[in-house]
Amino acid sequence: MNPFDTPLRRILILAALFFITLGWSTPTWSQLTIPARGAFGIAMDACSFNGDSTQDFVEVYYGIRENCITYGLDSGRYTGAVNMSMEIRSDSGIVARKGWSVPHIVSDTSKLSGGQQLMGLESVGLPPGRYMVTVKGYDLRRPARRDSVSAPLIVEKYPSDTESLSDLEFCTLIQSSTNKQSRFYKNTLEVVPNAGRLYGTGLPIIYYYLEVYGLVKSGRTGAVTIHTAVLDINGTEVVSHDKAKTRLHDASVEVGTMNIGALRSGTYVFRATLLDSTKRILASKEKKFYVYKPGSLPDTLSHAAREPLAAMDYYAMSDSAVTLEFNEASYIATQAEILQFEKLTDTRAKQQYLYEFWQRRNPDSTTLANAFRDQYLERVDHANKNLTVGFHPGWKTDRGRVYILYGPPDEVERFASSQESLPYEIWHYNNIQGGVIFVFVDRSGTGAYDLVHSTHRSEMQDPDWYEHYAHQMH
C-alpha cells in the first residue's frame, strides 16, 4: 500500500478541510512526493544497421530504473518523469542532438523494484565513421538527481558484395507484432531492448536481434549457418547454438534466444558467427553482457585466485566496510555494476565484487598496487575531512563529488554572505575541456554548498545561476 493511501490520506483530507475553514490555502496532491530509491542511473547501448549508400541506421537504447524516479501523487495516481537528451559527436563536432521527456505513471510505488526499467530508443542516420554517444537525464521532480553515460560507436560501411552482420541488439523480449506505432516495432516484430545488458534471476533468457546482409549479392551459393555462443572470461564457449539459414533474400533478420540460466554471476561475451557450408567464417559480431544471480559468486573468481595477495586486502574487509567503499565509488560505477552489487547478500561475494570492480580500472594489472583506487580513495578521504557538513559525510556533498571526480581545483573563489548575495564558491579547473568552472551556493546558510552551475559538458548548467540561487532579494 502506498504511504498516502488510507489512513494518512484521510488525515490529510481532514486537515485540508480545516485549512479551508480558516481561509488558508490548501496543499495539492501533486505537492506530495515519494522519494526515489537508490542512485539515479541511466543505462545506454547503441547499434548500427545497414541503411543506404550514404548512411547507416543507428538506434540508441536507454533504460531507467522505475524506482529511481521521484513520484508525486496527482489525482490518485503517482506520476514522475525524466528529462532526457542525446548528443552524438564526431571528431569534427556535434552531428546529432535530441531532447525528450519520459513520463511515467504508476498506481503503487511500493511495488516498484530495481529490476523494473523504462526502456526506450532514439534513432538517427549517420555516415560511416567513429562517434561518441552521450545520453543524459535528470529526475524532473528532483533535478539534482541526474546521470550521464557515454560510449564510443563505430558506424561501419557495410559491403555490398559480400556477407556481413549488423551490430547485436540485446533484448528482454522479441515477439511478432502488427503495431507499427510502437517505438519498438521493426520488421514485423516487437523488439524490446535491454540497454543495460543485464540478465540473471528474473531474466534468464537472452533475446537477440541482428540483421544479415549480402547473402545473394555475394554470389556464393549453398546454405549458411548462424552459430551463436556465450563465452566466459577465458574465451571458452559455455553455451552455443547452430541455426541453418537459406539465401532466399539478400538481407534478412535473425532473431533468437539463449538460455543462460545455468551461468554464474559475471561478465560474458555473446558472439554471432556466419558460417558457410564448409564452416568457414564469413562474418562475426560480438558484445559483452552481464549475469547476476543472488548467492552466486562470479566465474571470474578463478582470475582473482591467480592474484591472491592483491585480493587479500578485500577479503579482510567487513561487510559494512565493503559496502561503504562501493557506495563511495558509485560516482564512477556503471548502472549494471550498481545493480549487481545492490543484490549481493553474501559478504565474500561483495568482497570479490569490489576487488574486481577496482581491477577493471587498474592501469597496470601486472602489479599488486592499484594507483587508480589509491588516488580515488585519497580524494574521498580529503572530502570527508574537509567538506563534511553536519551529518553528511564529505563524499556525499556536491563539493565532495566534484573533488572526487575531478581532483583539487586550480583556483577557488570564495564569496562571503552579503546584503546582495548568499555565500558562494567558484571552482576553476584549467585543464578540463579547455577550462571549466563549478559554482556552489550555500542556499540554506548551514555550510552545505549546492552545485548550481557548471560549464562542464556533463554537469548541470544554468548561466543565470546568480539570479536564481545566490542573489538576495530585498
Side-chain angles (χ1 to χ4, degrees):
M1 180 178 295
N2 286 305
F4 293 112
D5 289 338
T6 58
L8 179 57
R9 182 168 181 166
R10 290 197 294 269
I11 295 173
L12 290 173
I13 291 174
L14 291 174
L17 292 175
F18 178 69
F19 292 151
I20 292 173
T21 302
L22 295 179
W24 297 353
S25 61
T26 307
T28 62
W29 287 114
S30 60
Q31 293 173 319
L32 303 174
T33 58
I34 307 299
R37 283 172 276 172
F40 183 88
I42 299 170
M44 187 264 285
D45 195 13
C47 289
S48 168
F49 302 96
N50 191 22
D52 55 31
S53 59
T54 62
Q55 62 181 10
D56 284 352
F57 184 70
V58 175
E59 292 182 342
V60 178
Y61 317 108
Y62 61 88
I64 308 163
R65 297 200 313 278
E66 288 185 319
N67 70 348
C68 80
I69 301 173
T70 304
Y71 294 90
L73 184 59
D74 189 1
S75 301
R77 301 184 302 175
Y78 293 87
T79 63
V82 176
N83 278 4
M84 304 284 294
S85 65
M86 177 183 73
E87 184 178 274
I88 302 178
R89 286 178 169 269
S90 67
D91 291 338
S92 59
I94 298 174
V95 298
R97 177 182 283 162
K98 290 186 176 183
W100 67 97
S101 181
V102 183
H104 192 48
I105 300 174
V106 297
S107 59
D108 188 348
T109 59
S110 66
K111 295 181 180 179
L112 297 178
S113 69
Q116 296 170 295
Q117 294 206 31
L118 299 176
M119 294 291 182
L121 69 84
E122 294 292 323
S123 57
V124 63
L126 292 176
R130 293 179 177 271
Y131 301 90
M132 180 64 68
V133 182
T134 299
V135 174
K136 301 179 181 179
Y138 66 87
D139 189 336
L140 188 61
R141 293 181 180 272
R142 293 289 187 269
R145 292 175 56 79
R146 56 183 58 223
D147 189 28
S148 66
V149 58
S150 299
L153 171 67
I154 298 177
V155 178
E156 66 176 276
K157 182 176 178 61
Y158 291 99
S160 59
D161 57 352
T162 190
E163 298 88 350
S164 61
L165 297 176
S166 73
D167 289 340
L168 279 162
E169 178 183 354
F170 286 107
C171 309
T172 59
L173 179 66
I174 299 177
Q175 61 185 5
S176 298
S177 175
T178 58
N179 181 16
K180 295 184 179 181
Q181 303 304 313
S182 170
R183 69 177 65 186
F184 302 128
Y185 178 89
K186 57 185 175 186
N187 296 316
T188 72
L189 298 170
E190 182 89 359
V191 184
V192 183
N194 183 349
R197 293 181 262 161
L198 179 63
Y199 294 90
T201 302
L203 196 59
I205 305 295
I206 289 180
Y207 288 81
Y208 64 88
Y209 175 101
L210 74 155
E211 296 176 1
V212 187
Y213 311 123
L215 291 174
V216 175
K217 291 182 180 179
S218 68
R220 284 184 274 264
T221 60
V224 294
T225 299
I226 295 286
H227 177 75
T228 51
V230 172
L231 286 68
D232 64 16
I233 59 168
N234 299 313
T236 302
E237 291 191 3
V238 291
V239 185
S240 63
H241 178 71
D242 286 338
K243 179 180 177 182
K245 197 172 189 68
T246 60
R247 296 178 180 264
L248 292 178
H249 306 285
D250 190 60
S252 67
V253 170
E254 176 62 28
V255 297
T257 61
M258 185 75 76
N259 190 326
I260 46 87
L263 300 185
R264 304 175 70 181
S265 297
T267 301
Y268 296 85
V269 170
F270 186 95
R271 178 183 293 165
T273 307
L274 183 67
L275 306 170
D276 66 11
S277 57
T278 66
K279 303 302 179 183
R280 181 168 65 97
I281 297 176
L282 302 174
S284 182
K285 282 292 175 72
E286 62 182 39
K287 183 179 284 189
K288 286 184 179 180
F289 70 97
Y290 313 94
V291 173
Y292 169 74
K293 291 174 163 183
S296 169
L297 286 176
D299 283 334
T300 48
L301 183 62
S302 58
H303 175 73
R306 291 195 291 269
E307 300 178 78
L309 294 178
M312 194 61 66
D313 288 343
Y314 300 88
Y315 295 153
M317 296 174 67
S318 66
D319 187 276
S320 60
V322 171
T323 300
L324 175 60
E325 183 169 322
F326 185 83
N327 288 339
E328 292 171 337
S330 61
Y331 298 136
I332 58 171
T334 66
Q335 185 190 25
E337 288 172 327
I338 292 173
L339 281 172
Q340 288 180 346
F341 187 85
E342 287 178 344
K343 295 177 181 178
L344 294 175
T345 57
D346 179 73
T347 299
R348 179 49 61 89
K350 292 180 181 180
Q351 293 166 340
Q352 177 66 31
Y353 192 85
L354 184 63
Y355 165 73
E356 293 178 343
F357 173 87
W358 289 117
Q359 279 298 100
R360 287 193 290 271
R361 293 158 175 83
N362 190 352
D364 186 1
S365 59
T366 63
T367 66
L368 296 181
N370 188 328
F372 182 89
R373 177 188 181 230
D374 292 344
Q375 182 188 65
Y376 189 94
L377 294 182
E378 284 176 4
R379 293 178 178 180
V380 170
D381 184 63
H382 175 91
N384 288 338
K385 289 179 179 178
N386 298 279
L387 301 173
T388 292
V389 179
F391 295 102
H392 297 282
W395 73 268
K396 282 190 175 182
T397 66
D398 283 356
R399 289 186 300 174
R401 181 185 68 83
V402 170
Y403 186 94
I404 291 168
L405 287 177
Y406 306 109
D410 296 299
E411 180 187 355
V412 176
E413 295 182 86
R414 294 183 174 89
F415 299 84
S417 176
S418 69
Q419 291 185 343
E420 295 296 325
S421 74
L422 298 171
Y424 64 92
E425 296 182 358
I426 302 178
W427 291 15
H428 295 260
Y429 289 84
N430 301 327
N431 298 315
I432 299 177
Q433 298 176 3
V436 299
I437 64 170
F438 293 83
V439 181
F440 307 89
V441 176
D442 182 5
R443 295 188 288 177
S444 62
T446 62
Y449 283 77
D450 299 325
L451 178 64
V452 297
H453 171 63
S454 175
T455 55
H456 192 289
R457 289 192 293 267
S458 299
E459 299 284 349
M460 66 180 301
Q461 299 180 7
D462 184 355
D464 298 322
W465 64 268
Y466 185 86
E467 293 298 326
H468 291 165
Y469 300 106
H471 187 208
Q472 295 202 80
M473 305 297 293
H474 299 284

